[in-house]
Amino acid sequence: YKFRDEMVVVTQIAMALIMAVLLGAIYWDLGLSQASVQNRVGAVSFTMLLMSFIAFDVVLLFPKERDLFRREHAAGLYSCSAFFHARCAAELPGHLAAGAAYATVTYWMMGFQRSGSKFANWLALCEALVLAGTSLLIFCGCVAKDFEGANNIATVAYCLFMMFDGHYINNKSIPEGARWIKQLNFFNWGISAAARSELKGLGEMHGCRDPASQKCVFQRGDDAADYYGYHQTVREALAALALICVVMRFLGFLAFKYFFQDHPLFAPKPIPDDLPPEPAPEPAAPAPEDGPEDLEEPAEPPRDARASSWAATPGGFVHVGEAEDASYSDVLLCNFSSADRASPSFIDAPSK
């Protein structure tokens, strides 16, 4: 997919080469001094960190194409597994090519051991870190609804793994309650195995010809590997990184399939088809024909709805309401001039 757009591939590989040259210039030809031990560990740690960032563009892959997948999947063009694995495979060649270019340049510029087997271990671990970082970013993109959410999840995960990568804190100093983070941390596996592979077999370090010399911190590279707690072998690290990749991609696939989709697990329950039909509306009654025989006298309104009026008199207000027999009117007289102004008096007055 990416190789159709040459500019994207060229840009990705060019950026990897630029960063590799910059890092190689900083750690140029480390040598065998006592300070080179710390420099080697720092170079390995920073290299492995950048390996996982090479594929950072995949964090927006699935949030960006989720709507496209839903539309085409609803049309029956392909299944969820076909789309997921095809998109992951399409991104793979460009990431591996950039990782290989970065690992090759940094290894020889930084003056690591000139051994074919050591370089093969370094290249394999760098590519494994690329795949592990890609798997984590795919998982973050699948569990988030949009790019902002995926970016926040990836940032938290990267910060947590960086704190326990074996460089910022010694592996032997990690608290017991946080050892599980070390086992799940692909940074720790890659850095520990790569640093151990590089430190083992360095030979006698400079400044240690006199055993009593205070300048001698590490007599050999093996002493530095034991001091930093780098005990993972390359085979163990590759197996652990492969397992992390499989688990992360499997969880990402489940999240992409079931999260934010029109699936019964998250969508509202559909309306059942066996509901009883609504009753048909009754036909309207035909309008009566106009004629003198159909005319009816209008019904007499109730007593409380009949017209009434108030009349002002010198003694107060008079309320006149029509009586039921239409022969008398009820007159309510409020005599404000009397002593008892609160008591009304009723007067029966014959109607005209």
Side-chain angles (χ1 to χ4, degrees):
Y1 173 77
K2 275 191 173 182
F3 284 97
R4 297 179 182 177
D5 191 352
E6 295 83 359
M7 185 57 63
V8 175
V9 180
V10 171
T11 302
Q12 194 169 38
I13 297 178
M15 292 302 299
L17 290 175
I18 292 174
M19 290 301 301
V21 172
L22 179 61
L23 191 67
I26 295 174
Y27 294 101
W28 174 262
D29 197 10
L30 294 176
L32 294 176
S33 63
Q34 293 291 312
S36 69
V37 174
Q38 180 182 359
N39 296 337
R40 289 175 189 272
V41 173
V44 170
S45 176
F46 197 77
T47 299
M48 293 300 169
L49 178 62
L50 289 183
M51 284 289 101
S52 62
F53 275 104
I54 285 180
F56 199 82
D57 58 324
V58 300
V59 75
L60 57 85
L61 174 63
F62 290 101
K64 180 179 65 176
E65 298 193 359
R66 181 177 283 116
D67 293 337
L68 174 64
F69 163 75
R70 291 176 59 183
R71 183 172 62 253
E72 296 185 351
H73 177 66
L77 297 181
Y78 42 73
S79 63
C80 180
S81 60
F83 178 83
F84 180 84
H85 293 100
R87 295 301 290 117
C88 292
E91 300 289 330
L92 189 61
H95 296 155
L96 292 180
Y102 184 94
T104 303
V105 173
T106 53
Y107 187 87
W108 299 110
M109 286 188 66
M110 290 187 296
F112 286 171
Q113 298 188 49
R114 301 183 180 277
S115 169
S117 60
K118 297 285 186 179
F119 173 71
N121 293 338
W122 172 261
L123 183 61
L125 288 171
C126 287
E127 297 288 39
L129 256 293
V130 172
L131 296 177
T134 305
S135 302
L136 175 62
L137 294 172
I138 288 175
F139 171 76
C140 295
C142 291
V143 299
K145 188 175 182 179
D146 49 22
F147 170 70
E148 289 77 10
N151 190 29
N152 292 334
I153 297 174
T155 301
V156 173
Y158 267 80
C159 291
L160 182 63
F161 287 166
M162 286 172 59
M163 288 189 296
F164 296 94
D165 64 355
H167 174 65
Y168 297 100
I169 181 173
N170 193 292
N171 284 331
K172 294 181 289 187
S173 302
I174 297 177
E176 291 291 338
R179 293 292 174 88
W180 62 272
I181 302 178
K182 171 187 172 182
Q183 301 301 324
L184 299 177
N185 189 355
F186 55 87
F187 283 146
N188 192 288
W189 284 102
I191 292 173
S192 297
R196 177 184 173 87
S197 176
E198 173 58 25
L199 293 175
K200 289 287 186 179
L202 275 180
E204 184 179 356
M205 308 296 296
H206 294 173
C208 291
R209 295 188 180 276
D210 183 6
S213 175
Q214 298 180 355
K215 297 181 179 180
C216 182
V217 180
F218 306 109
Q219 293 186 0
R220 295 180 176 274
D222 298 26
D223 300 336
D226 296 336
Y227 173 80
Y228 286 104
Y230 296 147
H231 302 300
Q232 289 88 345
T233 63
V234 175
R235 291 184 178 181
E236 293 174 349
L238 291 177
L241 292 173
L243 181 60
I244 291 174
C245 290
V246 172
V247 173
M248 285 289 182
R249 289 178 185 256
F250 178 72
L251 295 177
F253 169 72
L254 293 181
F256 181 72
K257 184 176 182 179
Y258 294 109
F259 285 13
F260 316 112
Q261 302 286 343
D262 293 334
H263 192 273
L265 182 62
F266 297 96
K269 295 182 178 180
I271 300 176
D273 299 332
D274 55 351
L275 288 178
E278 297 182 358
E282 298 181 358
E289 299 180 358
D290 296 337
E293 63 278 2
D294 297 331
L295 297 178
E296 297 181 357
E297 294 292 335
E300 185 177 0
R303 179 178 178 84
D304 56 354
R306 295 171 185 171
S308 60
S309 61
W310 289 83
T313 63
F317 291 94
V318 177
H319 176 262
V320 181
E322 187 179 357
E324 293 183 0
D325 55 1
S327 60
Y328 288 92
S329 296
D330 298 332
V331 180
L332 176 62
L333 176 62
C334 297
N335 187 2
F336 295 107
S337 61
S338 60
D340 189 8
R341 297 187 178 183
S343 60
S345 59
F346 290 89
I347 303 175
D348 291 339
S351 61
K352 294 182 181 180

